[in-house]
């Protein structure tokens, strides 16, 4: 990695091992983008520019010092709105006079070792300054006094560039930030497919790939959370890019709230990508001297196709976003009672499940929703974090004492940001939730959302949750969030700050997460939002794993886990074996296949283990032992997607290869029986010269044979069949 400034030509060049990113100060201070892609040696690419393109319908900037220099047709590094560039733009401020034409010019820059922390926001971090380099470019909009610092950072060992923006008001009047995207990249062509991950509850991160089109496409959320519907991730890839070959540019945002990623192809076939906080429902008042920091965007470039891009994200998220005790430690294999009992449980029933689970090697019992207040269904008590002694006489310690006799740990469900309308908390503080005075409060699962923009609310939740966590031996917390924000307003803010609430809400959630995770460093926090409704790098900074989806059907999970893997590593995806027929889809599935699919994740069970057959109990035991054995390869290895469940109608497959290439773990699942189907697969990522022994048949193959000729799984596979095959270096 390196960052270099060519002072004679005013060119910045940011290099990672395999990528270069170049920009240049031109024409009296305009910062122009020159190049992003495979590593190149030269920095002076000014010859690529053409100054005059369309002189009348793209009016030109008089201060550029040359005639006909139109911002509208020029590549920009951080485009502004209203002063000549008509494309989607990254930044604008509204001045006191009401105008919002904004124009940023270069002022100065600084290059230094290390990476700054973003105040109050999650971001990529490094443990030592020598592991990162940062470039900060200071820009100024002279008329408004908006000073903008563009931060670029590279981390040793990654083909990634991290970007964010800091805005300071250097004038003596307040102004409003109307939009402040975290990144903006101009490409000089339009020959790309867009990959993005859309979905809904129980079907998160469906991968879609389509050629980009003339005009603007937007992938966004304005739900107050990153959402089930659209994930804060987009990639532009060559039309012919495959898993292994072709250019792939991935963008993700370290942010859990409203986001927007826009892709515009302009009329001269240039493409712009911007990504950041969604400007819709956003406006931030910045008083003289105040600063605002945007979330961080992560950009990855790979010449090794979509798979190469994904593996860069996986490693970066695992090593430089996830934190805490469980970052590198195998997480306990758990049994969660939600699908086993729903609200119908008590101490006795939970102990029965634990007694069945412990001898099978399961290490933790998680008590899900329904242990507090008077909650026996969805209608009450969220916010009243007091143990319901009707269900749990004697409190949590009766349960934890019994679990410790069984050698098991204990985990607990919370929904810290939510309040039931029918709760003591709501009755005592009806103004503590997000609302607009005089307007109906929309109802989602009989709840409202607490106003996390208010410090006293965050303090209250911190104290309430902490006191439960201190009351017993608790090793794990499942932090859920089961509704999106509506009627967004805060009773604590003046009229001209109401559009700050969405972002202030997210900052409050991060504050609470930081305080709880640092106060209880030994507790493993798992994120959840009706499954994977808030599955983003912002959350992974606090929670090293997230409940991937409420859909535990093995076929559906093949898609959800495959789609998630486009950006996110296996280590962050919780995956449980649940009952058959499945509670979401009613599909029947063998115990084996349910176990095989859940093994590619943070593993556990979600069914009543006290009522399964002895034969199934033996299978649990074997699955648990196998998970422990394969854990290192699955979680820390390289992930290769082999057969795509979205486009292949009969089966899917994926593979993990250990860092030293001494072991590969292949999983395949047949999703549709085809008469006389042929099941033949080529592996990837192996050492061509190593001899590997396959675990089931004992047959040995060289790596090059497995990757080029492949293996034959026969033609007698049926709907629902699956296997995990392990290839060990002989
Ligand atoms: C959400 C979660 C589930 C479960 C329920 C409890 O839907 O995703 O796993 O915890 O809430 O109400």
């Amino acid at each position: 990695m390196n960052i270099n400034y060519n002072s004679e030509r005013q060119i910045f060049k940011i290099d990672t091992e395999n990528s270069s990113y170049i920009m240049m100060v031109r024409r009296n201070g305009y910062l122009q983008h020159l190049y992003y892609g495979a590593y190149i040696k030269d920095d002076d690419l000014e010859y690529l520019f053409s100054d005059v393109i369309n002189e009348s319908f793209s009016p030109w900037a008089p201060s550029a010092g040359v005639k006909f220099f139109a911002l509208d047709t020029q590549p920009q590094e951080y485009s502004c709105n209203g002063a000549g560039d008509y494309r989607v733009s990254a930044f604008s401020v509204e001045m006191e006079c009401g105008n919002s034409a904004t124009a940023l010019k270069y002022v100065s820059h600084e290059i230094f070792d290390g990476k700054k922390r973003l105040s109050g926001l999650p971001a990529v971090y490094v443990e030592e300054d020598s592991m990162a380099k940062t470039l900060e470019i200071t820009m100024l909009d002279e008329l408004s006094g908006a000073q903008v610092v563009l931060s670029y950072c590279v981390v040793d060992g990654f083909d990634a560039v991290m970007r964010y923006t800091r805005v300071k008001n250097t004038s003596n009047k307040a102004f409003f930030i109307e939009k402040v995207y975290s990144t903006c990249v101009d490409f000089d062509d339009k020959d790309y497919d867009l990959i993005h991950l859309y979905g809904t509850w129980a079907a998160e991160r469906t991968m879609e790939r389509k050629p980009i089109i003339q005009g603007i496409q937007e992938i966004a959320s304005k739900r107050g959370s990153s959402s089930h519907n659209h994930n804060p991730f987009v990639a532009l890839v060559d039309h012919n890019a495959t898993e292994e070959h072709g250019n792939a540019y991935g963008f993700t945002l370290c942010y859990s709230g409203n986001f927007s990623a826009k892709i515009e192809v302009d009329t001269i076939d240039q493409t712009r990508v911007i990504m950041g906080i969604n400007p819709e429902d956003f406006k931030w008042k910045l008083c003289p001297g105040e600063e605002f920091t945007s979330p961080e965007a992560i950009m990855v470039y790979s010449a090794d196709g979509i798979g190469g891009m994904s593996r860069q994200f996986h490693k970066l998220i695992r090593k430089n976003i996830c934190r805490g005790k469980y970052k590198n430690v195998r997480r306990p294999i758990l049994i969660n009672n939600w699908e086993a009992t729903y609200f119908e449980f008590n101490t006795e029933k939970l102990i029965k499940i634990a007694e069945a689970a412990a001898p099978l090697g399961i290490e933790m019992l998680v008590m899900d929703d329904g242990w507090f207040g008077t909650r026996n269904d969805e209608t009450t008590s969220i916010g009243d974090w007091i143990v319901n002694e009707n269900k749990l006489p004697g409190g949590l310690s009766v349960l934890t004492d019994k679990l410790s006799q069984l050698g098991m740990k204990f985990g607990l469900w919370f929904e810290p940001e939510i309040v039931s309308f029918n709760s003591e908390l709501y009755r005592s503080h009806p103004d503590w939730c997000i609302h607009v005075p005089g307007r109906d409060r929309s109802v989602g699962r009989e709840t409202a959302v607490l106003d996390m923009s208010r410090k006293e609310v965050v303090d209250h939740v911190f104290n309430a949750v902490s006191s439960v966590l201190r009351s017993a031996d608790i090793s794990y917390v499942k932090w859920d969030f089961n509704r999106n924000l509506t009627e967004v307003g805060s009773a604590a803010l003046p009229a001209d700050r109401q559009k700050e609430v969405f972002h202030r809400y997210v900052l409050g959630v991060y504050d609470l997460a930081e305080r709880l995770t640092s106060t209880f460093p030994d507790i493993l926090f798992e994120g959840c939002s009706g499954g994977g409704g808030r599955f983003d790098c912002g959350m992974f900074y606090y929670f090293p794993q997230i409940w991937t989806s409420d859909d535990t059907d093995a076929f559906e999970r093949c898609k959800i886990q495959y789609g998630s893997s486009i950006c996110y590593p296996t280590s962050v995806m919780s995956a449980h074996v649940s009952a058959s027929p499945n509670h979401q889809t009613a599909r029947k599935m063998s115990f084996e296949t349910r176990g095989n699919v859940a093994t590619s994740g943070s593993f556990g069970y979600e069914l009543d283990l006290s009522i399964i057959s002895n034969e199934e109990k033996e299978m649990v035991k074997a699955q648990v032992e196998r998970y422990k054995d394969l854990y290192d390869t699955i979680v820390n290895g390289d992930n290769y997607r082999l057969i795509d469940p979205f486009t292949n109608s009969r089966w899917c497959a994926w593979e993990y290869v250990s860092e030293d290439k001494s072991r590969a773990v292949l999983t395949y699942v047949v999703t549709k029986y085809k008469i006389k189907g042929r099941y033949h697969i080529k592996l990837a990522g192996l050492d061509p010269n190593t001899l590997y022994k396959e675990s089931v048949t004992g047959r040995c193959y060289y790596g090059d044979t497995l990757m080029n000729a492949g293996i034959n799984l026969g033609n007698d596979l049926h709907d629902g069949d699956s296997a995990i095959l392990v290839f060990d270096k002989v």
Side-chain angles (χ1 to χ4, degrees):
M1 66 172 181
N2 193 28
I3 300 181
N4 190 53
Y5 177 59
N6 173 341
S7 55
E8 205 182 306
R9 307 280 296 131
Q10 289 197 284
I11 291 173
F12 299 96
K13 184 165 190 275
I14 302 171
D15 289 326
T16 68
E17 201 181 327
N18 301 298
S19 70
S20 295
Y21 187 102
I22 308 175
M23 60 200 134
M24 177 175 196
V25 182
R26 283 180 90 227
R27 306 287 180 233
N28 290 333
Y30 289 105
L31 185 63
Q32 289 198 252
H33 183 74
L34 267 175
Y35 174 81
Y36 185 31
Y39 174 82
I40 54 174
K41 289 185 243 351
D42 287 314
D43 61 358
D44 190 355
L45 271 55
E46 194 182 6
Y47 65 88
L48 292 173
F49 290 132
S50 311
D51 272 358
V52 183
I53 294 195
N54 182 353
E55 59 175 278
S56 52
F57 289 98
S58 291
W60 45 278
S63 73
V66 289
K67 268 189 157 186
F68 309 129
F69 179 83
L71 297 178
D72 192 35
T73 54
Q74 292 292 317
Q76 304 292 317
E77 185 52 34
Y78 193 66
S79 62
C80 297
N81 188 45
D85 188 348
Y86 297 105
R87 294 168 289 178
V88 293
S89 57
F91 184 67
S92 71
V93 293
E94 183 191 305
M95 295 180 293
E96 212 184 33
C97 60
N99 295 322
S100 61
T102 310
L104 290 171
K105 293 277 196 87
Y106 169 83
V107 176
S108 63
H109 73 273
E110 207 188 331
I111 296 172
F112 52 90
D113 285 345
K115 184 173 193 295
K116 288 184 185 167
R117 299 241 158 182
L118 278 70
S119 87
L121 284 163
V124 168
Y125 66 90
V126 288
E127 258 127 32
E128 285 163 31
D129 281 354
S130 62
M131 294 162 83
K133 274 198 184 299
T134 300
L135 161 66
E136 288 192 349
I137 304 179
T138 301
M139 314 278 291
L140 184 68
D141 175 40
E142 234 175 69
L143 192 62
S144 66
Q147 184 194 75
V148 169
V149 175
L150 304 177
S151 167
Y152 300 80
C153 177
V154 281
V155 173
D156 203 15
F158 296 99
D159 292 317
V161 180
M162 275 57 74
R163 281 184 68 170
Y164 71 94
T165 307
R166 282 200 313 273
V167 187
K168 188 173 177 179
N169 185 346
T170 63
S171 78
N172 53 16
K173 290 180 187 154
F175 60 67
F176 291 93
I177 304 172
E178 290 182 323
K179 57 174 140 179
V180 53
Y181 277 82
S182 304
T183 189
C184 169
V185 181
D186 280 358
F187 295 83
D188 64 5
D189 62 348
K190 57 155 190 175
D191 300 321
Y192 302 103
D193 286 353
L194 167 68
I195 295 178
H196 68 111
L197 308 170
Y198 73 96
T200 179
W201 173 78
E204 298 89 339
R205 290 169 296 288
T206 306
M207 178 182 160
E208 184 170 64
R209 176 177 177 170
K210 292 270 161 65
I212 53 174
I213 52 166
Q214 290 282 342
I216 302 165
Q217 274 179 263
E218 184 176 19
I219 308 298
S221 164
K222 48 179 210 167
R223 295 169 168 268
S225 83
S226 50
S227 88
H228 297 88
N229 309 58
H230 291 286
N231 192 263
F233 168 83
V234 293
L236 291 192
V237 305
D238 288 349
H239 289 314
N240 59 359
T242 62
E243 277 294 321
E244 300 301 311
H245 304 286
N247 291 306
Y249 298 87
F251 300 80
T252 191
L253 195 67
C254 263
Y255 192 57
S256 312
N258 291 353
F259 74 92
S260 148
K262 288 188 181 173
I263 300 97
E264 177 167 5
V265 179
D266 69 15
T267 47
I268 54 169
D269 294 348
Q270 304 179 118
T271 304
R272 171 170 291 165
V273 177
I274 57 175
M275 183 181 242
I277 292 179
N278 193 336
E280 200 165 325
D281 300 325
F282 171 86
K283 194 168 176 182
W284 192 278
K285 184 175 183 183
L286 209 63
C287 293
E290 280 182 353
E291 280 201 21
F292 179 90
T293 303
S294 83
E296 183 168 82
I298 306 171
M299 313 190 295
V300 162
Y301 165 78
S302 174
D304 300 326
I306 305 160
M309 173 198 74
S310 298
R311 287 185 286 278
Q312 287 285 323
F313 276 120
H314 294 172
K315 209 155 103 185
L316 188 67
I317 293 169
R318 242 176 39 229
K319 298 197 167 182
N320 296 69
I321 289 186
C322 293
R323 301 179 298 167
K325 177 176 165 181
Y326 283 96
K327 173 179 165 180
N328 294 318
V329 170
R330 182 175 67 72
R331 326 242 168 94
I333 296 170
L334 62 82
I335 167 75
N336 177 307
N337 76 310
W338 179 242
E339 289 196 8
T341 66
Y342 294 101
F343 292 106
E344 305 286 308
F345 64 87
N346 54 28
T347 307
E348 209 182 313
K349 200 159 179 179
L350 293 176
I351 289 175
K352 220 168 131 207
I353 293 176
E355 281 171 342
L360 308 180
I362 292 171
E363 298 158 320
M364 179 161 74
L365 174 86
V366 174
M367 178 163 68
D368 210 282
D369 191 0
W371 57 267
F372 48 89
T374 54
R375 189 160 168 93
N376 294 313
D377 55 36
E378 287 185 2
T379 61
T380 75
S381 301
I382 298 183
D384 299 342
W385 301 114
I386 293 164
V387 175
N388 178 349
E389 297 225 11
N390 289 330
K391 283 180 174 175
L392 305 160
L396 297 181
S397 53
V398 175
L399 197 54
T400 53
D401 286 352
K402 179 68 191 171
L403 289 173
S404 84
Q405 284 166 23
L406 292 168
M408 287 178 87
K409 296 176 191 293
F410 176 62
L412 205 50
W413 180 95
F414 284 95
E415 205 175 356
E417 303 149 67
I418 295 292
V419 60
S420 295
F421 290 116
N422 183 3
S423 67
E424 290 310 316
L425 181 62
Y426 187 79
R427 281 186 281 275
S428 355
H429 296 285
D431 66 326
W432 271 15
C433 67
I434 299 274
H435 69 283
V436 172
R439 213 170 265 297
D440 276 353
R441 300 180 181 191
S442 296
V443 181
R445 228 188 175 206
E446 311 282 333
T447 65
V449 179
L450 285 172
D451 182 356
M452 304 296 282
S453 74
R454 295 175 68 164
K455 181 153 184 333
E456 67 270 46
V457 175
V458 174
D459 286 345
H460 168 84
V461 180
F462 174 76
N463 291 332
V465 174
S466 297
S467 86
V468 178
L469 297 183
R470 285 201 183 94
S471 72
D473 188 5
I474 294 166
S475 305
Y476 160 108
V477 165
K478 177 173 171 185
W479 178 319
D480 212 338
F481 179 56
N482 278 319
R483 66 158 284 180
N484 290 146
L485 278 58
T486 48
E487 297 86 33
V488 174
S490 170
L493 288 171
D496 61 358
R497 289 195 180 273
Q498 289 297 319
K499 289 215 163 176
E500 297 176 12
V501 177
F502 268 119
H503 182 57
R504 286 185 184 274
Y505 177 86
V506 179
L507 295 179
V509 172
Y510 290 153
D511 181 31
L512 181 63
E514 181 66 38
R515 286 163 70 183
L516 283 171
T517 52
S518 59
T519 309
F520 300 97
D522 291 330
I523 292 182
L524 167 61
F525 283 79
E526 170 170 294
C528 179
S529 174
R534 206 163 50 177
F535 198 91
D536 55 69
C537 288
M539 285 286 124
F540 295 131
Y541 187 71
Y542 305 99
F543 312 144
Q545 62 187 49
I546 289 181
W547 179 227
T548 316
S549 177
D550 273 346
D551 197 336
T552 50
D553 175 301
F555 280 7
E556 298 306 314
R557 272 300 183 112
C558 285
K559 293 187 191 150
I560 295 166
Q561 292 170 200
Y562 186 102
S564 302
S565 81
I566 299 293
C567 183
Y568 306 105
T570 301
S571 63
V572 302
M573 296 184 215
S574 296
H576 298 169
V577 178
S578 63
S580 175
N582 181 271
H583 291 195
Q584 287 74 33
T585 62
R587 190 182 271 138
K588 289 188 183 153
M589 187 71 62
S590 71
F591 206 93
E592 191 185 0
T593 292
R594 284 178 272 152
N596 286 345
V597 173
T599 296
S600 290
S602 210
F603 188 62
Y605 290 82
E606 181 117 3
L607 74 175
D608 190 346
L609 291 170
S610 68
I611 56 169
I612 63 172
S613 68
N614 287 339
E615 193 194 337
E616 286 174 330
K617 283 187 178 156
E618 286 310 310
M619 290 173 89
V620 173
K621 247 192 209 167
Q623 287 171 353
V624 165
E625 277 317 303
R626 181 183 60 183
Y627 183 71
K628 290 181 188 162
D629 175 33
L630 301 183
Y631 175 82
D632 189 47
T633 309
I634 286 178
V635 162
N636 299 319
D638 284 327
N639 183 357
Y640 292 86
R641 292 178 293 263
L642 303 178
I643 299 177
D644 169 1
F646 295 109
T647 54
N648 190 294
S649 61
R650 83 189 154 98
W651 66 324
C652 62
W654 60 95
E655 179 198 358
Y656 299 95
V657 180
S658 64
E659 264 182 301
D660 64 2
K661 296 188 186 291
S662 65
R663 174 173 260 195
V665 178
L666 166 73
T667 307
Y668 67 82
V669 180
V670 178
T671 47
K672 196 175 184 188
Y673 177 68
K674 193 175 174 207
I675 313 284
K676 293 197 168 66
R678 184 158 175 265
Y679 295 90
H680 188 178
I681 196 166
K682 291 175 189 168
L683 276 72
L686 303 175
D687 175 13
N689 302 315
T690 293
L691 192 63
Y692 294 92
K693 183 173 176 181
E694 189 261 295
S695 55
V696 176
T697 60
R699 186 174 168 153
C700 294
Y701 311 80
Y702 276 105
D704 58 2
T705 309
L706 289 169
M707 292 191 290
N708 294 301
I711 54 168
N712 187 0
L713 302 164
N715 58 2
D716 196 21
L717 294 177
H718 297 80
D719 195 359
D721 283 352
S722 70
I724 295 181
L725 302 182
V726 183
F727 297 80
D728 279 314
K729 181 176 175 175
V730 178

